[in-house]
Amino acid sequence: MTEAIATADELFALLESCSGFFDSVGADGDPIDVLDHGLQCAALLALEHPDDAELQVAGLVHDVGHRLWPGASAAHGRIAASAVRELLGDRVAALIELHVPAKRYLVTVDPSYRHELSDGSAISLGRQGGALTAPELAELEADVHLGDAVALRRCDDRAKVVGAEADGLARWRPLVERVVATR
């Protein structure tokens, strides 16, 4: 898949490289670069889940798979999870990997959710498999991380505001280092 990110320095270099990098070219991409999107998502998670450092870090890095493997939209969650698992741990990696299935889950259990998706997310939903089948739904509902993955997904959906104020990347360094230290 992709090479593992071994240090916080490598992770922050990757995140910095996401400035000015968009998840897709053309009509199916969102109008915000991957870094700004991650910063907004992490900030929303910090407000809603202030005691969950791993969830916040997952929000910060959930879309780096777009940068690691451009054009692999359907697999970007798995790519990012694989890259950060050794550094950030199994739970962070699971949340990152599940943020795409969580979108499919929400579309399946709440058909009105589809209307909450950005144009880019609505288009990519088809490439990512659309609504879940009954066996996929049962498997996902058995996953212990589903609730937190849905929280990540909901913040992901709201973290696409061009020009929104968000703390810079340096704000997240201590939190990432804390998560790394607990590994």
Side-chain angles (χ1 to χ4, degrees), residues 74-119:
H76 78 276
R78 286 190 309 276
I79 292 164
S82 175
V84 303
R85 181 170 271 110
E86 284 183 38
L87 180 67
L88 300 175
D90 289 335
R91 180 170 178 254
V92 172
L95 295 173
I96 292 167
E97 187 166 354
L98 286 171
H99 86 275
V100 172
K103 175 169 63 170
R104 296 180 63 210
Y105 170 79
L106 287 167
V107 166
T108 304
V109 300
D110 179 8
S112 68
Y113 169 77
R114 186 180 299 261
H115 302 292
E116 297 175 30
L117 296 173
S118 68
D119 291 343

Side-chain angles (χ1 to χ4, degrees), residues 9-145:
D9 287 340
E10 286 179 24
L11 179 62
F12 276 82
L14 172 62
L15 287 165
E16 288 170 3
S17 79
C18 291
S19 178
F21 183 86
F22 294 81
D23 64 358
S24 187
V25 177
D28 63 342
D30 287 310
I32 183 171
D33 71 37
V34 172
L35 176 59
D36 285 343
H37 173 60
L39 292 170
Q40 287 181 29
C41 188
L44 288 169
L45 287 163
L47 287 172
E48 295 177 15
H49 303 273
D51 298 325
D52 195 338
E54 290 179 332
L55 181 57
Q56 294 168 40
V57 170
L60 178 66
V61 303
H62 75 280
D63 271 353
V64 298
H66 288 297
R67 183 72 174 112
L68 291 168
W69 200 341
S73 175
H76 78 276
R78 286 190 309 276
I79 292 164
S82 175
V84 303
R85 181 170 271 110
E86 284 183 38
L87 180 67
L88 300 175
D90 289 335
R91 180 170 178 254
V92 172
L95 295 173
I96 292 167
E97 187 166 354
L98 286 171
H99 86 275
V100 172
K103 175 169 63 170
R104 296 180 63 210
Y105 170 79
L106 287 167
V107 166
T108 304
V109 300
D110 179 8
S112 68
Y113 169 77
R114 186 180 299 261
H115 302 292
E116 297 175 30
L117 296 173
S118 68
D119 291 343
S121 285
I123 292 168
S124 66
L125 176 64
R127 283 195 309 273
Q128 295 162 343
L132 297 169
T133 64
E136 289 172 326
L137 179 62
E139 181 180 343
L140 192 56
E141 286 179 329
D143 193 303
V144 298
H145 300 295

